[in-house]
Amino acid sequence: MSTKIPLSERMRPQSILQYVGQKHLIGENTMLRNAIDQGQIPSMILWGPPGVGKTSLAYLITQELGRPFFNLSAIQSGVKDVRAVIQKAEELRKFQQPQPILFIDEIHRFSKAQQDSLLGAVEKGLVTLIGATTENPSFEVISALLSRCQVYVLENLSKDELIELLNQALKEDEILKDLPIEVKEYEALLRFSGGDARKLLNIFELVVQSVIHNPQPITNVLVASLIQKNPAKYDKTGEQHYDIISAFIKSIRGSDPNAAVYWLARMLEGGEDPTFIARRLIILASEDIGNANPNALLLANNCFQAVKVIGMPESRIILSQTVTYMASCQKSNASYEAINKAQSLVRESGDLSVPLHLRNAPTKLMKELSYGKEYQYSHAHKDNFVSQEYFPKALQGTVLFNPGNNPAELKLREYLKRNWGDKYNY
């Protein structure tokens, strides 16, 4: 069994029918599958954990459409490489060739300047962009480019899909199909791969190489003895990823710094990206602490910036400081509840007119129509406050923000009560 091409590469699907997983995207009558069948795909970002088929899907889309294909790696390519591809695309257009597909692996590693260099080509339709990322594109892809792309979320392959992939390799791979291989147990293979299909196939190939000269069934014990490391305590691409981050967040929300720092350690020891943890802390600072301690948001944001600059292993100290502080803070979800209520109200009430006195009046006609006429400038009054109506008429007196029962927000409640009296029932 000697080949320089790894099993994971040999098993790359050559057609949509061979592709395993992501039925919610390319199953029959799904939006993306219909777009492929019609030959009219949008520029897109494929977002998902490692080893779920992002690169393979991009390749198969190109094969199905029969278009020219350009492939760039964000790790190795720069602005010069992007411009070279765009120039080739312009030349193809001159000769009335099909619109090429530009695939950029790990697009989240592209700098802002590199992403900016793509905008014009995407806007003009010179290329159809397919970017692959393991990171949340909301954070890692510039908004101008993201707004021009459809985001498709790829999911971890299920246990059955991973086993199907192994069985497919045994039946179809040019090397394995002629070998007397018996897989008796799958659990260890799946556990060590962590839901990563590429990693699964590479591990399987390693195991197969060992049993060729010593024929025996592939069991959990055999796999564990061959893979020289302990089973992962934290699967950062599988179900435990979501379970442990949930336990982490709920421990901070529940004001238990001891449990919170334990779950933090579980994630760090399992190889979780520390910036992912830091982002969650920023969200939690507003959702669960809010105005009960506004410093929590400042600390969380500074933590995120510091983690990006410092990196591991020192980032663990910064994360620990932030986590233990936030877990020990007073809690309030008043801001979170307020925006939820406000958005529900907007959906229910529709586009209510802005009161005339609150409207901008940049033109003579607007002034003649009384735009802004009766507006009172708060800073011109005692204590920088004047009682006037800011809601649309139909919503006057609506309470959306209800300060929590903690020292910081009780001060806010007192201030609002002093200004508004009984209007909002503070």
Side-chain angles (χ1 to χ4, degrees), residues 104-140:
I104 300 180
D105 196 16
E106 299 192 82
I107 193 171
H108 60 277
R109 293 181 181 269
F110 257 11
S111 67
K112 182 179 183 299
Q114 289 169 312
Q115 293 186 38
D116 280 336
S117 67
L118 292 167
L119 275 175
V122 174
E123 287 176 336
K124 295 174 185 176
L126 283 174
V127 297
T128 297
L129 173 66
I130 302 181
T133 178
T134 57
E135 299 293 324
N136 188 330
S138 299
F139 295 109
E140 305 296 344

Side-chain angles (χ1 to χ4, degrees), residues 318-364:
I318 300 165
L319 286 164
S320 180
Q321 177 188 354
T322 308
V323 166
T324 52
Y325 177 83
M326 291 174 63
S328 304
C329 283
Q330 288 273 354
K331 303 299 188 295
S332 171
N333 68 343
S335 299
Y336 172 73
E337 291 290 338
I339 188 61
N340 286 346
K341 292 176 185 175
Q343 288 183 295
S344 294
L345 185 62
V346 168
R347 288 190 288 265
E348 292 170 4
S349 58
D351 297 328
L352 298 175
S353 297
V354 176
L356 281 174
H357 68 285
L358 297 181
R359 298 186 189 184
N360 190 28
T363 67
K364 181 179 178 182

